């Protein structure tokens, strides 16, 4: 009989690619993880991992078992949800990992809504960049993630996740006030190909959106300055250090006196925001109302 707890460990190793990183995510020691994996190999009668450089990768048998692990763990999430519903499930805490502007746009208003409609549900918010919330969710450190699509990230068809689209928002061009294109009503992205750029660090989903939009416009942006803080990005643009693409909602509340903000024509620079739970957890009586509140708040956002 396969121990489902060991399946969680197998999935963590598959996600993190090293025993040490998986152990840290699971709050276990590396030796404990290795012992559990060895026991799982004994249970299955197959080698599940092989060394790959400094890390590990799954064998063919490991990949087969991982596919079943996703289904088993999702079914356990559903079982917990049904048991919680049977027990009432009207009170408890939900941990949400979310990025800053997503918190401001939909999560904070959802908290206010839930306080009135479901006063027994308490939300605990963890501020996490758009590419960090899903790992927190999959590692069990969050019950729900507010995230954005990014290249290399889990897709909507990922067997580990249940994904609920919320909204999409455009990126606007941010230009120094003296820029030659600053007086135009809109800016063609290709016209910025010779400019220096201010952008987020690689790995940040906003960096990926900017890079993809510029690639579709036929050029590679020349990133000279990097910051994950939109206020810093805007300040650098205002100082004449370059141009930038910034999500429209992130510009609210930022001092824009030294810059000009213009919509972009040509390839769309857009980030798509979604809520995610571990598959099977979306019906949990504490999580389902939070998802519903996020959807309602997303519907109230102004059309872009």
């Amino acid at each position: 009989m396969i121990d489902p707890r060991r399946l969680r460990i197998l999935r963590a190793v598959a996600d993190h690619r090293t025993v040490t990183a998986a152990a840290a995510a699971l709050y276990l020691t590396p030796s404990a993880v290795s012992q559990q994996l060895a026991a799982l190999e004994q249970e299955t009668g197959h080698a599940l991992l092989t060394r790959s450089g400094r890390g590990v990768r799954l064998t063919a048998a490991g990949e087969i078992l991982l596919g079943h692990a996703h289904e088993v763990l999702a079914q356990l999430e559903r079982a917990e949800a049904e048991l919680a519903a049977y027990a009432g499930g009207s009170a408890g805490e939900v941990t949400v990992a979310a990025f800053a502007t997503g918190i401001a746009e939909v999560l904070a208003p959802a908290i206010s809504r839930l306080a009135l409609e479901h006063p027994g549900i308490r939300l605990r918010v963890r501020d996490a960049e758009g590419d960090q919330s899903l790992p927190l969710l999959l590692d069990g450190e969050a019950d729900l993630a507010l995230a954005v699509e990014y290249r290399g990230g889990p897709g909507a068809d990922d067997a580990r996740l249940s994904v609920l689209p919320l909204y999409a928002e455009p990126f606007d061009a941010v230009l120094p006030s003296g820029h030659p294109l600053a007086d135009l009503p809109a800016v063609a992205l290709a016209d910025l190909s010779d400019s220096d750029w201010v952008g987020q660090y690689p790995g940040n989903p906003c960096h990926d959106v900017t890079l993809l939009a510029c690639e579709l416009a036929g050029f590679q942006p020349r990133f000279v300055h990097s910051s994950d803080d939109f206020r810093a990005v805007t300040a650098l643009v205002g100082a004449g250090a370059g141009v930038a693409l910034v999500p429209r909602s992130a510009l609210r509340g930022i001092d824009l006196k030294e810059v000009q903000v213009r919509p972009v024509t040509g390839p769309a620079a857009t980030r798509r925001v979604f809520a995610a739970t571990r598959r099977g957890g979306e019906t949990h009586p504490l999580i389902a109302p939070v998802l519903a509140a996020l959807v309602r708040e997303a519907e109230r956002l102004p059309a872009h």
Side-chain angles (χ1 to χ4, degrees), residues 26-192:
L26 296 171
Y27 297 99
L28 297 172
T29 64
S31 62
V33 168
S34 296
Q35 290 170 7
Q36 292 297 316
L37 290 171
L40 185 59
E41 290 183 325
Q42 286 186 331
E43 289 174 344
T44 61
H46 293 278
L48 302 175
L49 298 170
T50 185
R51 292 195 175 278
S52 177
R54 296 183 179 179
V56 294
R57 61 179 176 84
L58 270 60
T59 63
E63 292 287 354
I64 291 171
L65 184 59
L66 180 64
H68 289 286
H70 294 328
E71 295 299 322
V72 170
L73 296 175
Q75 190 59 41
L76 289 174
E77 292 280 352
R78 295 186 190 101
E80 291 180 3
E82 290 188 19
L83 288 171
Y86 176 77
S90 60
E93 183 175 87
V94 176
T95 299
V96 183
F99 61 103
T101 51
I103 293 172
E105 289 289 285
V106 293
L107 183 53
I111 291 175
S112 298
R113 179 186 291 273
L114 288 165
L116 297 174
E117 298 178 357
H118 299 275
I121 298 178
R122 303 181 306 278
L123 262 63
R124 185 164 69 93
V125 178
R126 293 190 59 170
D127 189 345
E129 290 293 342
D131 59 331
Q132 296 172 354
S133 55
L134 292 178
L136 290 172
L137 174 68
L138 292 170
D139 288 340
E141 296 187 47
D143 304 304
L144 191 154
L146 192 61
V148 298
E149 294 180 4
Y150 59 97
R151 289 194 289 188
D157 59 348
D158 192 296
R160 300 168 296 175
L161 299 171
S162 176
V163 172
L164 181 66
L166 292 176
Y167 64 95
E169 69 169 324
F171 282 48
D172 288 325
V174 182
L175 311 174
S177 293
H179 193 280
L181 304 178
D183 292 332
L184 296 177
V187 173
L189 201 53
D191 290 340
L192 299 175

Side-chain angles (χ1 to χ4, degrees), residues 181-212:
L181 304 178
D183 292 332
L184 296 177
V187 173
L189 201 53
D191 290 340
L192 299 175
S193 60
D194 292 332
S195 299
D196 289 338
W197 282 74
V198 183
Q200 289 70 47
Y201 286 103
N204 186 308
C206 291
H207 177 91
D208 290 342
V209 171
T210 298
L211 194 61
L212 179 59

Side-chain angles (χ1 to χ4, degrees), residues 256-268:
L256 302 176
K257 291 195 300 290
E258 303 300 326
V259 301
Q260 296 295 321
V261 178
R262 295 291 182 266
V264 175
T265 62

